[in-house]
Amino acid sequence: MNHNISNCKYIHDYDYTENPLFYNDLILIQLGESYCENNAIIPEHKHENFFEVSYIVDGIGMFISNGIKQIIKKGDCFLSLPYEKHEIISDSYDPLRYFYFSFSFKEKSKFYEIMFSKTLLDLQPVNRVYHVTNLKIQNAFNNMISALESNSPISSLKFELLAKLFALDMFDIFAKNESKNYSSPNISNEDSIFYSITKYIDEHLLDIKNLQDIANELNHNYSYLSRIFKSKFGKSIHEYFSMQKISYAKRLIEEDKMSLTEISEFLNYSSVYVFSRSFKNIEGISPQTYKNNIKG
């Protein structure tokens, strides 16, 4: 089989391998997003004293760490360790699209003490794959990239905080400290219920098949939740859910990597016609018109 050596398109590529950026005790090596072509391969290379987290947005591939092969697919998050030999091979028919973040911390800092503990450094490749069922990690990457690209006077501080929180989340995930079956405590405050509903929708936007799922998750009657939500937001839960899906659709249209049919399927619409109707109801124009306006 022929491979396209390093034939990847970098949508975002902040590469500071030669001259790392320092955000107090945080050290940024690389951050970006890559689309691989069929059979593309990133040749074996050795990491220095830093961690790298890769999150697979789409496709299938193989990560090889110190000679150990690990199949990676859409929704997987992979942790690469310091001083590890690393190689990536994209699939022939379903190429990889993935985010990556390479980082370290200054020695003797509290973050260095946490991340460079045996808890992570002794993990074998098979124990460094975590499958994600919501948009939390993808959103974290988007937020870090947005902060890095921002010209705001607080962007550096925002990026540092987001990156450190991300590193701690990775530690919790791979140290198996994360509570995977979290159930919220009894809620007596209507503001808390409203927040819980929006948070659940935002984090499970692509997974929700029936809005009754929210009621089941929060252990409340759906009608009760609907009444509270409408009183706080002025719109129904269904309207908020639709608005969030269309907001996500607009971002996908702007990226121009998927057709409108593919976007409708990705967002779990029953057909592109249902998607178009929902888009027009919310935005006032069809998704095709929105796409044409972007292109000028």
Side-chain angles (χ1 to χ4, degrees), residues 277-295:
R277 186 170 64 245
S278 179
F279 193 101
K280 189 170 185 178
N281 286 341
I282 292 173
E283 294 296 322
I285 58 175
S286 71
Q288 184 62 58
T289 302
Y290 184 80
K291 186 173 186 177
N292 294 341
N293 290 345
I294 292 172
K295 293 182 176 180

Side-chain angles (χ1 to χ4, degrees), residues 16 46 169 190 226 241 259 278:
Y16 305 108
K46 185 176 181 180
D169 283 343
E190 291 191 352
S226 297
F241 179 57
S259 69
S278 179

Side-chain angles (χ1 to χ4, degrees), residues 143-158:
N143 290 338
M144 286 193 291
I145 290 173
S146 295
L148 203 58
E149 292 179 339
S150 172
N151 294 319
S152 165
I154 64 169
S155 59
S156 291
L157 177 59
K158 186 175 181 180

Side-chain angles (χ1 to χ4, degrees), residues 40-64:
I41 178 172
I42 297 177
E44 183 179 82
H45 54 284
K46 185 176 181 180
H47 290 171
E48 296 303 321
N49 193 28
F50 60 80
F51 291 90
E52 183 172 272
V53 177
S54 303
Y55 172 70
I56 311 304
V57 179
D58 211 357
I60 301 172
M62 181 182 295
F63 279 34
I64 305 175

Side-chain angles (χ1 to χ4, degrees), residues 141-275:
F141 272 103
N142 285 326
N143 290 338
M144 286 193 291
I145 290 173
S146 295
L148 203 58
E149 292 179 339
S150 172
N151 294 319
S152 165
I154 64 169
S155 59
S156 291
L157 177 59
K158 186 175 181 180
F159 173 77
E160 178 188 348
L161 294 175
L162 288 169
K164 286 181 172 179
L165 179 60
F166 183 85
L168 292 178
D169 283 343
M170 291 302 102
F171 178 84
D172 268 350
I173 284 172
F174 291 105
K176 301 189 185 305
N177 292 332
E178 184 185 50
S179 176
K180 297 181 180 177
N181 296 312
Y182 175 78
S183 58
S184 56
N186 292 330
I187 300 171
S188 57
N189 184 288
E190 291 191 352
D191 289 333
S192 295
I193 291 178
F194 170 73
Y195 171 76
S196 296
I197 295 170
T198 58
K199 182 174 184 291
Y200 184 85
I201 290 174
D202 292 347
E203 292 186 355
H204 298 82
L205 193 62
L206 302 182
D207 302 321
I208 296 173
K209 299 295 188 294
N210 189 318
L211 292 179
Q212 180 64 40
D213 295 345
I214 302 171
N216 296 338
E217 178 69 18
L218 299 182
N219 297 317
H220 278 289
N221 179 275
Y222 184 79
S223 298
Y224 172 69
L225 294 180
S226 297
R227 179 181 62 75
I228 291 176
F229 192 89
K230 184 118 185 220
S231 70
K232 296 292 180 183
F233 188 62
K235 296 182 183 298
S236 69
I237 295 175
H238 181 269
E239 287 174 302
Y240 179 78
F241 179 57
S242 297
M243 289 167 59
Q244 293 302 92
K245 288 178 73 172
I246 296 305
S247 177
Y248 198 98
K250 288 168 64 178
R251 190 170 75 192
L252 294 175
I253 293 172
E254 289 162 10
E255 289 180 357
D256 198 25
K257 300 299 177 183
M258 302 168 68
S259 69
L260 295 180
T261 299
E262 289 171 332
I263 291 173
S264 70
E265 292 174 352
F266 181 73
L267 294 174
N268 296 317
Y269 285 94
S270 58
S271 71
V272 69
Y273 305 105
V274 174
F275 165 58

Side-chain angles (χ1 to χ4, degrees), residues 114-125:
I114 293 170
M115 295 300 299
F116 285 81
S117 65
K118 289 175 65 63
T119 302
L120 294 188
L121 297 182
D122 287 349
L123 287 175
Q124 294 301 308

